[in-house]
Amino acid sequence: MTRFRRRVGIAVKQRYMMWVMCGRPTYKLTWEEIVALYRLTLDQPARNTQARYNVCPTTTIDTIVGQNNKLQLVPMRWGLVPFWWSKPLKELKLATFNARAETVAEKPFFREAFKRNRCLIPVSGYYEWQDTPSGKQPWYFTARNGSPALTIAGLWDEWRDKANGETLKSCTMIITKPNEVVAEVHDRMPVLLTEQEFEPWLGGTTGLELLKPAPDDLLQRWPVSKRVNSSRAPDDDPTLIERISVQ
């Protein structure tokens, strides 16, 4: 019975991660593109970035942070662990990979990071799922103008594991109401920032007023294979974002 309950629990968790979270991103930016797009401070070694087509929560993703007047790329765990968390990481059961724009300044898990730890999260695109008579149909969203990156407003924090003394940097993506294009598929979308909004967001000189739906002409979308419905779909499979025909 215990084994059965464990299997059910895993299945429920996988469905929760797929349908409740706002998207599951892709990431296929080169180091040169990242440096140019975010004007990184070139005092860190170049990264050999790897294309990823099925990025899931709790895995490591790249973020852009501003510290000491420098913009740097910092890998972090996707799923925020607040600095004050006092229990082992495995006991953090809440889904903290998304933070809702409407409550991000108030919720205990996010409010301190909202005040002091902002970040940018570069992605190449992301998936959302639509209810259809034949089941959940995934759609891929990416920049309509061909830009290699979409930039999601994020928060980050640093947590210390009392058991081993190690520190963990982690982050969350902020989500908001959908624009008209996204609303045809899903009821939420990530907060997408423009280049002009990077500095005020990171510096904390602006806040909730930026956490709004993107313009309707920012994104394009197309249907993709239901193979991406599984969080176990290969992370390195570029065919996951190929357009398919749907009835």
Side-chain angles (χ1 to χ4, degrees), residues 14-246:
Q14 288 176 338
R15 288 198 297 271
Y16 177 83
M17 287 169 60
M18 183 165 65
W19 311 132
V20 178
M21 66 175 287
C22 187
R24 197 188 298 156
T26 64
Y27 182 84
K28 49 191 181 73
L29 294 163
T30 66
W31 174 252
E32 290 75 18
E33 287 172 332
I34 295 169
V35 170
L37 286 167
Y38 300 102
R39 301 179 183 178
L40 298 188
T41 307
L42 293 177
D43 58 357
Q44 65 180 125
R47 286 272 308 280
N48 182 20
T49 58
Q50 300 294 318
R52 302 174 65 187
Y53 298 91
N54 188 25
V55 181
C56 296
T58 73
T59 61
T60 299
I61 63 174
D62 285 339
T63 69
I64 308 297
V65 300
Q67 293 181 314
N68 301 319
N69 296 318
K70 296 180 179 181
L71 289 182
Q72 293 187 318
L73 183 148
V74 180
M76 296 189 190
R77 175 190 189 266
W78 181 21
L80 190 136
V81 184
F83 72 92
W84 47 261
W85 182 253
S86 60
K87 299 178 181 180
L89 183 58
K90 64 181 179 181
E91 294 187 27
L92 179 55
K93 304 299 184 182
L94 293 176
T96 60
F97 40 86
N98 286 163
R100 296 175 71 92
E102 297 88 342
T103 57
V104 67
E106 305 165 4
K107 290 291 186 180
F109 265 76
F110 304 121
R111 63 190 179 196
E112 290 302 318
F114 179 77
K115 293 177 184 177
R116 58 187 174 84
N117 287 341
R118 312 274 186 86
C119 66
L120 309 174
I121 301 177
V123 301
S124 297
Y126 68 95
Y127 305 101
E128 290 293 9
W129 284 263
Q130 181 181 37
D131 286 309
T132 71
S134 61
K136 296 287 187 178
Q137 173 58 54
W139 291 75
Y140 184 60
F141 290 81
T142 189
R144 181 175 293 184
N145 65 3
S147 171
L150 298 171
T151 303
I152 300 175
L155 308 175
W156 69 278
D157 213 335
E158 186 172 88
W159 170 75
R160 184 174 180 274
D161 188 337
K162 294 180 179 179
N164 56 27
E166 296 180 355
T167 58
L168 174 70
K169 286 184 171 66
S170 60
C171 65
T172 187
M173 298 179 182
I174 301 179
I175 60 174
T176 188
K177 297 176 182 178
N179 60 23
E180 291 187 6
V181 173
V182 177
E184 296 175 359
V185 173
H186 197 63
D187 63 355
R188 305 293 290 178
M189 72 178 298
V191 173
L192 301 173
L193 300 178
T194 66
E195 184 177 349
Q196 292 73 29
E197 293 168 333
F198 293 171
E199 184 175 345
W201 172 251
L202 290 174
T205 58
T206 190
L208 295 176
E209 62 270 28
L210 287 185
L211 307 184
K212 59 186 185 298
D216 291 332
D217 62 354
L218 179 68
L219 299 172
Q220 60 179 332
R221 72 171 193 254
W222 58 79
V224 295
S225 169
K226 290 182 179 180
R227 290 184 298 116
V228 80
N229 287 2
S230 172
S231 60
R232 297 182 180 179
D235 198 26
D236 60 352
D237 183 358
T239 66
L240 291 176
I241 65 171
E242 290 182 354
R243 184 190 301 265
I244 65 167
S245 297
V246 293

